[in-house]
Amino acid sequence: MANLKRKMTVEIDQEYLSCTICLSIFKKPRILPCLHTFCGKCLQDYIDQQPDAYEKKGFSCPVCREFVSIPNPTGGWATQMKVDFRLDAMTDSMKQNKKKVEKNRAEATFQYTINRISTLTKSVASPAYIIRNLPWNIMVMPKLVKGKKSLGFYLQCNTESDSESWSCEARAELKILPQCYGRTAFIRRTVHTYSSQEYDWGFSNFISWDDLLNPAKGYVKDDNVHLEVHVEAEEPQMDQRNLAFYPRLLE
Ligand SMILES: [Zn+2]
Ligand SMILES: [Zn+2]
């Protein structure tokens, strides 16, 4: 419920903090005497498109048509309008808020492409994606399972801090995406409680190396493989037992 509320706040803000010219969030907003605000650049582009602006030494507001006279017609006219500091600050705080909500998201899908898969000899990892304020990434490596080469494919949640005791239950879909028409993704699913001790989980034999590289399967194109992971994570748990060693922290 708290999450839903936060999301709604972001959406409403976005509507009120959007420039009516470009329909995006204000960038360096400038305010006209009529109190209508536009991005500085959008306003300047609009002024540049008014054929009679120089003759009239001014232009009409794109929204209410109120005439704005420019006493000094040299240089950029938009920059002669005052910066809308209030909207600028609100836009900033909305962006921060949006980032916070994004990092706290409960699920996400992200992809990772392995180039020159046929020459892969060691482990490689994708950049981290933030879900539930924890960093998640794809990790793959060639593996030998019972004498047969296969692709090891794992989802990692590596906070790089051993001191913190945390755990997070996550369901994941690990996929190899098809690269030719009419084929389907190769999917395996996991459920795991990630923690600082068990921060990676997946399959050492996700798919046999022969199947992976077999052109008829459609997973490889130009020696590239596209991987995708969908993660749904529960609220992370902090280990309360650790706090027992530090009674002062509990007070
Ligand atoms: Zn704009
Ligand atoms: Zn106006």
Side-chain angles (χ1 to χ4, degrees):
M1 192 62 199
N3 233 344
L4 184 71
K5 244 187 190 170
R6 224 191 268 165
K7 260 184 202 159
M8 278 172 66
T9 315
V10 170
E11 272 160 29
I12 291 166
D13 285 351
Q14 204 155 334
E15 198 185 312
Y16 284 99
L17 298 176
S18 296
C19 163
T20 47
I21 296 178
C22 67
L23 306 178
S24 308
I25 305 296
F26 287 119
K27 285 182 208 81
K28 300 192 172 142
R30 300 271 173 176
I31 188 164
L32 301 184
C34 58
L35 303 183
H36 282 119
T37 297
F38 309 92
C39 307
K41 188 177 177 305
C42 291
L43 184 61
Q44 188 59 52
D45 289 349
Y46 166 80
I47 294 167
D48 291 343
Q49 284 160 17
Q50 306 308 305
D52 52 357
Y54 261 88
E55 271 163 47
K56 289 186 178 170
K57 288 193 177 136
F59 62 95
S60 299
C61 167
V63 173
C64 69
R65 314 306 303 169
E66 188 179 305
F67 189 74
V68 182
S69 60
I70 299 288
N72 174 17
T74 55
W77 288 11
T79 55
Q80 294 179 40
M81 299 294 116
K82 284 191 175 119
V83 172
D84 194 331
F85 289 110
R86 195 174 48 100
L87 277 187
D88 202 23
M90 282 167 77
T91 309
D92 256 10
S93 101
M94 191 219 58
K95 279 187 197 154
Q96 300 292 334
N97 203 2
K98 204 176 166 193
K99 262 188 205 158
K100 262 190 221 157
V101 170
E102 263 173 22
K103 285 184 175 176
N104 196 32
R105 65 194 152 192
E107 59 181 288
T109 301
F110 53 91
Q111 297 182 349
Y112 182 48
T113 297
I114 312 171
N115 300 311
R116 297 193 303 278
I117 182 76
S118 61
T119 63
L120 187 73
T121 54
K122 54 180 175 35
S123 69
V124 285
S126 74
Y129 292 81
I130 306 297
I131 303 162
R132 294 285 193 192
N133 287 309
L134 293 169
W136 302 79
N137 68 272
I138 290 171
M139 195 270 278
V140 290
M141 60 167 91
K143 279 271 192 180
L144 268 184
V145 179
K146 291 177 190 157
K148 281 197 86 179
K149 194 177 176 185
S150 62
L151 178 77
F153 183 174
Y154 309 86
L155 172 66
Q156 290 187 321
C157 180
N158 196 351
T159 61
E160 286 172 354
S161 96
D162 316 314
S163 57
E164 257 178 66
S165 205
W166 57 274
S167 67
C168 181
E169 191 185 321
R171 282 173 301 283
E173 271 187 3
L174 280 54
K175 299 182 198 178
I176 302 174
L177 299 177
Q179 299 201 67
C180 73
Y181 184 75
R183 303 283 167 174
T184 51
F186 185 85
I187 305 176
R188 287 179 187 269
R189 294 176 176 85
T190 66
V191 181
H192 179 61
T193 301
Y194 288 78
S195 67
S196 43
Q197 289 83 38
E198 286 194 9
Y199 59 83
D200 59 5
W201 200 255
F203 303 89
S204 48
N205 185 11
F206 187 80
I207 187 171
S208 78
W209 201 257
D210 289 345
D211 278 354
L212 178 66
L213 295 193
N214 182 351
K217 300 273 180 186
Y219 301 131
V220 177
K221 195 178 175 189
D222 303 327
D223 212 15
N224 296 334
V225 171
H226 295 318
L227 305 177
E228 186 178 278
V229 168
H230 178 75
V231 185
E232 280 177 55
E234 301 295 326
E235 189 80 47
Q237 304 291 314
M238 299 305 288
D239 193 341
Q240 295 299 316
R241 282 171 306 175
N242 264 18
L243 291 175
F245 293 107
Y246 308 100
R248 251 171 297 167
L249 286 177
L250 290 172
E251 281 162 17

